[in-house]
Amino acid sequence: MKKINLLFVLMLALALITGCSQASSTKEEKSGAASGQKEKKEKPRVAFVYIGVPGDGGWTFEHDKGRKLVDETFGIKSTIVENVPEGTDAERVIEELAQKNDIIFTTSFGYMDPTYNVAKKYPDVVFMHATGYKRADNMGTYQGKGYESGYLAGIAAGKLAENNKIGYVGAFPIPEVIYTINAFTLGAQSVNPDAEISVVWSNTWFDPATERQAAVSLLDQGVSVLANYQDSPAGIQAAAERKVWGMGNDSDMNKYAPETYITNPTLNWGDYYIDVVQSVVDGTWKSEATLGGLKEGMVDIAPFGKNVPKDVQDLVNEKKQEMKDGTFTVFKGPIKDQNGKEKVADGKELSVKDILSMNWFVDGIKGEIPE
């Protein structure tokens, strides 16, 4: 009996040890799975939709710089889809991305409706649209105060326009382009009341051949400064061939025309993109309309070209500091439109809503806004 009892005790002990070992193993597996789930949650799947290619040297290039910072910060590899036309094809692309991603940045004005439509179908995905105005519970908007950097570029143009004639090649006649051209004009007029800005439209974001042709049409009119809103450097290169001062848009384009380059508005999306992704990870994201300027570091101007006189640089930098300090605002009256009608009364300021829906030109601009 004693032998039997001893054997029973040994078998029972062995069973207990085995059971504990299995329980411990199961617990570790569950813990590992939970850890993996947590890690997966902390590494969101992020996608970007581009109107052009990062190699454009302008708008898409700057967004892609921001995307790379997101990848480095969160240790992820985001998805990008390039050269997506604005329209029905964009909606198809965005919906495909929504099936596999947690956050989608759509980076062109014409993606607004497609983004909004897809956002309604995928409430668990966060959508961020650049430069638009439509929002939903899971869709926010963001853009930079291009009118601040545009005004600064205009100051430089006004000072350097020897014959008071300045050309501006607009991209598309949408509010963000219109208010930037208006701010540019007001900046030029602030230092050169006789400055006259002639505007033509390329109806492109990135089409070097078309943009060069539009630039040449203004150069043929004898402008002494040429500004361009497109992503390609075609315009400033055409200006350089005529030994005319030039400025591009969105990114530093100095290298394309080093002898005649002035400066131009630039954008910085990296810090903002990191903040958005982090808020989604933390569960604190909410739909907002973000508008960042010089103070927030979302917009700026590129380093001045080597031949820009120091007094011009100092004048621009002085006004830049006033904008950062909040002691100067661009659209403060009196401001008239090109037909002489008062749009902003003396001492009044244009509201952000009115700026972002602007569809009129200020006095001093030659050119029309297409219907």
Side-chain angles (χ1 to χ4, degrees), residues 195-240:
E196 181 181 83
I197 287 74
S198 296
V199 175
V200 298
W201 301 97
S202 68
N203 293 310
T204 62
W205 293 121
F206 184 77
D207 184 339
T210 300
E211 289 146 20
R212 177 183 174 83
Q213 184 178 7
V216 168
S217 73
L218 289 169
L219 292 167
D220 286 344
Q221 295 177 33
V223 300
S224 53
V225 176
L226 180 68
N228 306 266
Y229 199 92
Q230 297 76 18
D231 299 334
S232 83
I236 60 172
Q237 289 173 323

Side-chain angles (χ1 to χ4, degrees), residues 18-236:
T18 303
C20 288
S21 175
Q22 290 174 341
S24 174
S25 175
T26 302
K27 184 177 181 181
E28 288 176 2
E29 288 174 2
K30 289 181 178 179
S31 175
S35 175
Q37 290 172 356
K38 183 178 180 182
E39 182 179 357
K40 183 178 180 181
K41 183 179 180 181
E42 290 179 350
K43 290 183 180 296
R45 299 165 298 173
V46 184
F48 290 78
V49 182
Y50 294 156
I51 189 68
V53 295
D56 67 6
W59 175 261
T60 300
F61 174 71
E62 290 299 329
H63 282 285
D64 203 56
K65 281 170 60 178
R67 178 194 66 80
K68 289 177 180 177
L69 282 175
V70 167
D71 284 7
E72 292 172 10
T73 302
F74 295 93
I76 63 174
K77 184 171 179 57
S78 53
T79 299
I80 60 174
V81 185
E82 305 173 352
N83 282 326
V84 178
E86 297 171 324
T88 55
D89 197 45
E91 187 163 333
R92 176 188 60 78
V93 170
I94 295 167
E95 182 156 7
E96 288 178 359
L97 291 172
Q99 297 168 17
K100 304 175 183 178
N101 291 279
D102 305 307
I103 310 168
I104 301 174
F105 294 93
T106 57
T107 63
S108 190
F109 180 80
Y111 296 153
M112 180 173 64
D113 287 333
T115 304
Y116 184 76
N117 293 340
V118 177
K120 289 189 293 184
K121 298 179 183 179
Y122 296 85
D124 295 330
V125 178
V126 170
F127 296 83
M128 294 299 303
H129 177 241
T131 74
Y133 54 84
K134 289 186 177 180
R135 290 189 294 132
D137 289 343
N138 61 326
M139 176 180 169
T141 60
Y142 62 101
Q143 67 186 98
K145 294 180 180 178
Y147 49 90
E148 289 186 343
S149 48
Y151 188 95
L152 298 177
I155 292 176
K159 289 292 290 183
L160 294 171
E162 296 178 357
N163 63 0
N164 304 323
K165 292 183 178 181
I166 301 172
Y168 201 118
V169 183
F172 288 93
I174 60 176
E176 70 172 275
V177 181
I178 293 169
Y179 68 58
T180 301
I181 295 174
N182 280 339
F184 176 90
T185 301
L186 294 175
Q189 292 172 342
S190 73
V191 296
N192 183 353
D194 297 323
E196 181 181 83
I197 287 74
S198 296
V199 175
V200 298
W201 301 97
S202 68
N203 293 310
T204 62
W205 293 121
F206 184 77
D207 184 339
T210 300
E211 289 146 20
R212 177 183 174 83
Q213 184 178 7
V216 168
S217 73
L218 289 169
L219 292 167
D220 286 344
Q221 295 177 33
V223 300
S224 53
V225 176
L226 180 68
N228 306 266
Y229 199 92
Q230 297 76 18
D231 299 334
S232 83
I236 60 172

